[in-house]
Amino acid sequence: MIPVQGYDGRHVAVLGMGRSGVATAKALEAGGAIPIVWDDSPTGRAAAEANGWALRDLTAAGGFDGIAALIVSPGIPHLYPTPNPVIAAAWDAGVPVDNDIGLFFRSWATDDWDGFDSAPRVIAVTGSNGKSTTTALIHHILVQNGRPAQMAGNIGRGVLDLDPAHDGEVVVLELSSYQTDLARHLTPDVAVLTNISPDHLDRHAGLGGYFAAKRRLFAEGGPDRAVIGVDEDEGRYLANQLVDDLSDDRLIRISVTRKLTSGWCVFARKGFLSEYRRGQQTGSIDLRGVAGLPGAHNHQNACAAYAAARTLGIGPKGIEAALHSYPGLPHRSQLIAERRGVKFVNDSKATNVDAAAKALQAFPKIRWICGGLQKEGGLGPLIPHLGSVVQAYVIGREAESFARQLPGVEAQVCGTMEVAVAAAMRDAHPGEVVLLAPACASFDQYDSFAARGDDFTARVLAAL
């Protein structure tokens, strides 16, 4: 646990008693603060009482009297589409609002570091797609190369659940736009942007607000090194803003759509990763045989992880060996099984159109299980990538509407995962892939993308 610094003996309010809120309250208490908590649900309030924390309705008159700060769990809206009433009350009372990421960055460094030979470092990864894989891959590369490392944030442990730093340790954080948008302190040593595509638009009042939330990690964080995906205009804009010219080694640009040779850059084309620095090639890896990273979208993740590892002085050969031993993450291009020449792949984390489009580009012949709770913007960006789809099997509350938006694709409205898996397995031929890549949120039928992926996996394995 990371004891929160700066609030010793002061009352700090915590809104939301999910995983993040509970860990935050415990870390505040460990640092000498006095947590005052609130949750809108009776279950959350019961969890707070079970831990012995005082409950207070923070929207009541005088709710913020004596409160030094309000710490908000990431799922709670603080501005769009409308501010949570507790957050609005904090604004009116002049109480600073923060989240656990902000607390981590203000509390991570301690006086113990004065005795370390090498200061601990933080790599923070954000972006629309691939940030979980990139985060896990960076952590894997570090561990495989003998570097002490921890992983947390939007993946694995909460940031305040981390162990106190060791000499030379590296913490790798996955940060969502919900987390970067509100944190009052963002000071990573290395910051990574994988890519930008429309997502969470209601929470950020459009793509501009969403990009602004991501940009804070770089503009306000001031990292020593920045790794930026430049395959979208937002990435190119951000890269251009960070340095005066391409000879500045504080920036590494990455791409899977173009060859880059100016400045420090890493790109992948036709399955080969290349690193260039000052116009000279300094590294190359054949990614085609890396089983845990199939498809161009995973090659982008490999470029980002490679670049981040290079900022820490890890050599290309050490990175290459680690890539080959990377097992992959559940629900992200995860090979579940193979039977009679048919592969079954779980990419339930493809919850938006851009992620699903990238999954469709990874395989030549696809029996595609798709659908769910559609997000804003429609399915337009998917249309150019439907050529690999042999047939679609559509699930979810909006299955019929989804199926009508797939021009030239034979689409069967299945409704449920049970029906879709059975139909796809019945129809599939050798050389084809049964792919779950929903392009939608899961909340019409499941509690999470993980629950959806687990259902797909269980039904496939039960039928084999």
Side-chain angles (χ1 to χ4, degrees):
M1 180 183 296
I2 307 299
V4 173
Q5 301 180 39
Y7 294 110
D8 188 17
R10 305 172 75 187
H11 293 83
V12 178
V14 180
L15 177 60
M17 283 287 101
R19 184 191 72 161
S20 171
V22 170
T24 296
K26 290 181 177 179
L28 283 163
E29 203 168 40
I34 304 166
I36 304 294
V37 306
W38 185 252
D39 193 288
D40 292 334
S41 74
T43 301
R45 294 195 291 272
E49 289 181 317
N51 281 285
W53 297 318
L55 284 167
R56 183 190 298 183
D57 183 353
L58 297 165
T59 60
F64 278 97
D65 290 352
I67 298 294
L70 171 65
I71 312 303
V72 180
S73 295
I76 299 173
H78 60 272
L79 187 55
Y80 303 112
T82 56
N84 182 279
V86 172
I87 295 174
W91 293 345
D92 291 340
V95 172
V97 180
D98 203 348
N99 62 14
D100 61 337
I101 303 302
L103 295 183
F104 167 81
F105 278 111
R106 71 178 287 164
S107 305
W108 174 236
T110 67
D111 292 339
D112 294 339
W113 290 22
D114 292 339
F116 291 167
D117 292 329
S118 299
R121 306 185 76 183
V122 175
I123 299 176
V125 180
T126 195
S128 297
N129 299 305
K131 57 184 179 294
S132 294
T133 295
T134 299
T135 301
L137 187 54
I138 294 170
H139 180 262
H140 179 77
I141 292 169
L142 291 168
V143 171
Q144 293 299 305
N145 283 274
R147 301 288 185 92
Q150 298 185 73
M151 179 174 66
N154 210 38
I155 184 174
R157 306 162 74 178
V159 290
L160 296 174
D161 278 334
L162 287 167
D163 298 326
H166 299 292
D167 194 341
E169 187 170 43
V170 181
V171 165
V172 190
L173 302 180
E174 178 194 343
L175 299 182
S176 72
S177 60
Y178 292 4
Q179 294 167 311
T180 58
D181 197 18
L182 188 60
R184 298 174 72 90
H185 301 268
L186 284 168
T187 54
D189 299 282
V190 181
V192 179
L193 177 73
T194 57
N195 50 63
I196 288 288
S197 62
D199 206 359
H200 307 303
L201 300 187
D202 58 336
R203 177 68 179 262
H204 299 290
L207 182 58
Y210 174 62
F211 174 56
K214 300 289 191 184
R215 184 177 179 272
R216 290 191 75 243
L217 184 64
F218 302 84
E220 299 188 26
D224 296 332
R225 288 273 170 74
V227 176
I228 307 290
V230 294
D231 288 337
E232 297 86 29
D233 288 342
E234 291 84 0
R236 289 194 287 275
Y237 166 82
L238 181 57
N240 183 266
Q241 290 266 300
L242 291 177
V243 294
D244 293 328
D245 58 64
L246 288 177
S247 65
D248 193 330
D249 279 350
R250 291 176 299 171
L251 170 68
I252 306 177
R253 296 174 301 142
I254 64 168
S255 175
V256 290
T257 65
R258 67 189 71 191
K259 181 178 181 179
L260 305 172
T261 57
S262 299
W264 195 356
C265 52
V266 179
F267 64 92
R269 297 182 70 195
K270 298 181 180 180
F272 288 88
L273 179 152
S274 298
E275 176 190 7
Y276 277 76
R277 195 166 185 179
R278 298 186 178 94
Q280 300 295 318
Q281 185 170 4
T282 54
S284 178
I285 297 175
D286 184 351
L287 298 173
R288 295 173 299 174
V290 180
L293 297 168
H297 60 303
N298 273 313
H299 293 174
Q300 183 181 60
N301 300 333
C303 288
Y306 178 100
R310 294 290 284 134
T311 69
L312 300 181
I314 300 176
K317 289 185 177 180
I319 298 172
E320 182 175 13
L323 293 181
H324 280 282
S325 64
Y326 176 67
L329 284 175
H331 314 298
R332 294 144 174 108
S333 299
Q334 179 187 14
L335 179 62
I336 298 301
E338 184 171 358
R339 185 186 70 166
R340 299 174 185 171
V342 177
K343 293 181 179 179
F344 299 87
V345 176
N346 168 19
D347 202 352
S348 184
K349 186 62 170 65
T351 59
N352 60 47
V353 168
D354 185 67
K358 290 177 178 176
L360 293 179
Q361 296 173 64
F363 308 102
K365 295 181 180 180
I366 298 170
R367 301 280 173 176
W368 180 31
I369 299 177
C370 52
L373 189 62
Q374 291 191 57
K375 297 184 177 181
E376 292 183 29
L379 302 182
L382 271 176
I383 306 306
H385 308 292
L386 296 177
S388 60
V389 177
V390 178
Q391 186 171 352
Y393 305 82
V394 190
I395 65 173
R397 188 179 67 193
E398 302 169 334
E400 292 187 5
S401 172
F402 192 103
R404 288 195 296 268
Q405 300 175 64
L406 303 175
V409 173
E410 182 181 352
Q412 178 178 335
V413 176
C414 297
T416 67
M417 186 71 74
E418 178 181 12
V419 174
V421 168
M425 294 185 76
R426 178 195 65 223
D427 297 342
H429 299 294
E432 296 179 345
V433 173
V434 175
L435 171 69
L436 171 65
C440 294
S442 60
F443 303 121
D444 57 333
Q445 293 181 312
Y446 299 94
D447 289 338
S448 65
F449 73 84
R452 177 173 59 191
D454 288 342
D455 189 21
F456 170 76
T457 299
R459 293 187 186 282
V460 168
L461 295 179
L464 293 180

